[in-house]
Amino acid sequence: RTGMHAIIAIHNTDLGPAIGGTRYLQYHAAGQAIIDSLRLAYMMTLKASISGLAHGGAKSVIIAPKKLSNRQELFEQFGDFVHDVNGRYICACDVGTSTDDMDTIASRTPYVIGAAKTHRHQTNPCSHTAKGIFLGMCAAIQHKHDTDNFDGIHIAIQGAGSVSHALTKLLTEAGATVTACDPNAAALSQLQSSFNVKTVPPQAIYDVECDIFSPCALGGTINLNTTNKITAGIIAGAANNQLSHPRIAKLLLKKGVVYAPDFVINSGGLINAAMVYDYQDPSLADTKIKGLYDTLLSLFERSAKEKINTLDIAKDIAISRLKQASINTHNGILNTREKNTLPED
Ligand code: NAD
């Protein structure tokens, strides 16, 4: 009807309906959009599983047309598409989409988070993501430096976008020193005018002498080349798919670098979204996000004890939970949503 070309990639629903953001982006080819959505959906499954949510992972992409005549009609049709999937997929804001778009989708389907005019309105996911990253950093300095305060701790943040802004607030309030970079001069100067931070050009961020390197911009920036430059003993940030290859996690362990796996430390936004959707209760989300401190601390401790990198351990925990859910579903013991609302025993 509108010429919409969209993909809904549902990776797994063993734990419950799959949640994932809707990207609205231009792609050179549909294949690229498919690969992007599948890769991101897999990560959402790991994220939801390790966070103990009754949800699976998904992602959707609307391939932005070269010329868009009516955005509202396009998102209405996307809402119909989401509705056709019959509740197996719940969409939310992501790159290129806004609360207004979610409102349009909500006019066609209830399977949406982040629409302002519904009771499932999620306020600013970035602040919840930043809170989780801050707590992950707290766990990392506790493990690495045996301290619970940021006095004398220097963090190099790659990117000065929304998550970095909220994270820098928490870090500077806690007494940390922050150096940031961003090719977007406006974003960088906004950060500088709000907080006492140093800035460097984007390529120089890897050379900053610091305790924590925090990738909060793009994926794949932790690679063979940059791991040779980064002097920080901790890597902890918001970006998805931070490592250019999973084997980099082994290299980091060998170098004695404490790595907070991206899909664990950046799950605050998803946790908040799930709690708002399931229970309309953001305070439940706060409690669960606080749990990220313990999750990451035990991950770091287990990695040091067993000499296994944190990424492999985290994947193992997430996949074990999925396997158990799948066995339960196949055996018809309990449906996973019931299982998740029962007490621990
Ligand atoms: P954002 O778009 O607000 O900010 C990203 C910033 O990175 C931009 O200012 C951009 O100019 C900058 N950037 C681009 N290339 C750069 C480079 N080479 N060096 C330094 N900076 C560069 O995005 P955000 O919402 O702050 O998210 C940051 C990252 O965290 C993204 O990778 C996102 O996928 C991931 N993430 C975000 C959330 C969330 O709640 N927003 C949740 C999970 C993961």
Side-chain angles (χ1 to χ4, degrees):
R1 192 166 76 235
T2 63
M4 178 189 78
H5 194 174
I7 295 142
I8 295 176
I10 300 174
H11 178 261
N12 192 296
T13 56
D14 285 340
L15 289 163
I19 299 186
T22 300
R23 298 198 155 183
Y24 177 79
L25 279 178
Q26 282 196 344
Y27 285 87
H28 294 302
Q32 261 188 345
I34 292 170
I35 290 168
D36 213 14
S37 45
L38 290 172
R39 206 170 41 90
L40 291 160
Y42 166 64
M43 173 161 271
M44 293 303 285
T45 294
L46 294 178
K47 217 185 268 201
S49 177
I50 201 151
S51 308
L53 302 175
H55 289 283
K59 206 84 182 182
S60 60
V61 165
I62 303 174
I63 302 177
K66 291 219 166 66
K67 196 165 163 274
L68 176 65
S69 49
N70 189 325
R71 189 168 176 115
Q72 182 164 342
E73 261 179 27
L74 183 83
F75 277 87
E76 277 170 4
Q77 194 173 21
F78 182 73
D80 293 340
F81 184 21
V82 171
H83 201 67
D84 283 348
V85 186
N86 223 3
R88 291 171 63 227
Y89 170 57
I90 301 156
C91 68
C93 276
D94 204 290
V95 178
T97 53
S98 67
T99 305
D100 286 348
D101 298 325
M102 296 306 120
D103 271 324
T104 307
I105 294 170
S107 71
R108 310 299 270 237
T109 182
Y111 306 119
V112 52
I113 303 165
K117 293 174 189 155
T118 69
H119 58 293
R120 284 163 170 167
H121 177 47
Q122 186 194 23
T123 52
N124 188 9
C126 302
S127 64
H128 307 294
T129 303
K131 180 89 186 287
I133 290 159
F134 176 74
L135 290 167
M137 287 181 175
C138 291
I141 59 168
Q142 181 64 53
H143 174 72
K144 181 97 184 163
H145 302 294
D146 197 20
T147 177
D148 62 359
N149 76 71
F150 280 89
D151 290 343
I153 301 284
H154 184 177
I155 296 113
I157 305 184
Q158 183 175 45
S162 317
V163 175
S164 299
H165 200 92
L167 177 64
T168 303
K169 182 172 190 300
L170 296 172
L171 287 170
T172 48
E173 279 171 4
T177 305
V178 173
T179 301
C181 75
D182 199 302
N184 179 338
L188 197 59
S189 78
Q190 203 188 347
L191 192 76
Q192 244 185 330
S193 63
S194 307
F195 311 106
N196 182 17
V197 296
K198 293 177 198 147
T199 64
V200 291
Q203 271 312 314
I205 196 78
Y206 303 108
D207 303 317
V208 173
E209 289 274 336
C210 60
D211 304 286
I212 305 178
F213 183 85
S214 186
C216 294
L218 310 167
T221 62
I222 311 297
N223 54 39
L224 276 179
N225 184 23
T226 56
T227 44
N228 281 329
K229 293 186 183 175
I230 295 168
T231 54
I234 297 166
I235 295 181
N240 287 313
N241 298 313
Q242 291 167 20
L243 308 184
S244 62
H245 191 282
R247 272 202 294 264
I248 298 288
K250 286 189 185 154
L251 181 68
L252 293 174
L253 176 69
K254 220 167 149 189
K255 284 175 172 255
V257 176
V258 173
Y259 172 61
D262 41 16
F263 67 85
V264 186
I265 197 169
N266 74 9
S267 60
L270 172 66
I271 293 172
N272 177 267
M275 293 297 118
V276 167
Y277 187 86
D278 292 342
Y279 307 106
Q280 292 84 57
D281 187 352
S283 67
L284 279 177
D286 288 343
T287 310
K288 237 181 178 352
I289 291 169
K290 280 187 190 135
L292 282 173
Y293 177 92
D294 289 334
T295 304
L296 281 155
L297 189 58
S298 70
L299 208 55
F300 301 146
E301 284 169 353
R302 202 177 137 189
S303 168
K305 198 168 151 212
E306 298 177 15
K307 310 261 180 296
I308 302 174
N309 71 77
T310 50
L311 185 66
D312 282 350
I313 298 174
K315 275 187 185 166
D316 193 48
I317 296 169
I319 291 166
S320 301
R321 187 168 174 250
L322 286 170
K323 278 188 185 152
Q324 192 52 51
S326 170
I327 291 166
N328 289 347
T329 308
H330 286 291
N331 290 345
I333 298 170
L334 288 172
N335 95 24
T336 48
R337 186 165 293 281
E338 284 166 350
K339 176 175 166 277
N340 275 287
T341 51
L342 287 174
E344 278 298 302
D345 58 343

